[in-house]
Amino acid sequence: MKDTPITGPEHVAIIMDGNGRWATARGRPRLFGHQAGAKRVRQIAEVCPKLGVKYLTVFAFSTENWKRTQDEVAGLMSLFKRYIQSETRELIARGARVRFIGDRVRLDPGLVELMGQLERLTEGNDGLHLTVALNYGGRDELVRASKRLARDVAAGRLDVDTVDEETQASYLDTGDLPDPDLVIRTSGEARISNFLLWQSAYSEYEFVDTLWPDFTPEIFAGIVRNFAARERRFGAVKA
Ligand code: IPE
Ligand code: IPE
Ligand code: MG
């Protein structure tokens, strides 16, 4: 009998949810939960190479998260800035390649500058490919992609009859990334909340009750290892 290869997920995407509830349960402001959550990102990123995970994509802020109080939004934006500044050295040292997906237009110019700088500093790296979804929404991404595609057709740069799934995918923010094999959502909510709508068409989903600040590398490793037991069919019937 041939050995069945243990195939782990190459690309894991995470909806990091539950920071607010984690803080509230401790009688602390929601931002305290976001700070605790930010620390987890580094720990999870660190174990990815050991688990064979080459791409890690994390949902940090959605296009709908602007609906929160001005206090929380401002706190998150300054947390993102501080986080990029404090993590840059470590990410470069590890050979990570960082990308941001989402619409930058509405973001603070200072933050956008830091994002671009980190992307440029790491663009030649081929360690962990870390993608941060910031002001990201799957529908918003599709709208922005459609507009660019339409402009290219109007300008004669693209023949509309040649547009296929690959063309469409190339216009998304994730144009040069593989689709996620596994999407994890923490905090017990079983919904997508506008994350990677196109890209996760055939992803496996794992919903865990753990709140994001409690999500340890051990829990992550367990989920990644269990992935190998799943049978992915992609619409076909097993031979
Ligand atoms: C996820 O945690 C982080 C962001 C959406 C920015 P939440 O802030 O959504 O935490 P809960 O869901 O309110 O507990
Ligand atoms: C999704 O979580 C967005 C992020 C994790 C950044 P939300 O907490 O915003 O999603 P809903 O509102 O519960 O659907
Ligand atoms: Mg939430």
Side-chain angles (χ1 to χ4, degrees), residues 13 28 36 48 52 56 58 100 103 109 117 130 144 192:
R28 304 292 301 268
C48 281
L56 176 69
V58 293
F100 291 91
D103 189 5
Q117 199 175 64
L130 174 66
R144 285 185 290 106
I192 302 176

Side-chain angles (χ1 to χ4, degrees), residues 15-17 59-62 65 68 185 189 191 193:
I15 302 172
M16 310 184 289
D17 197 16
F59 202 1
F61 192 88
S62 78
N65 286 149
R68 297 185 178 199
R185 183 174 187 144
E189 312 294 345
R191 56 176 171 265
S193 300

Side-chain angles (χ1 to χ4, degrees), residues 211-225:
L211 301 174
W212 175 251
D214 290 328
F215 192 76
T216 61
E218 290 72 29
I219 299 173
F220 179 67
I223 295 171
V224 168
R225 292 202 183 97

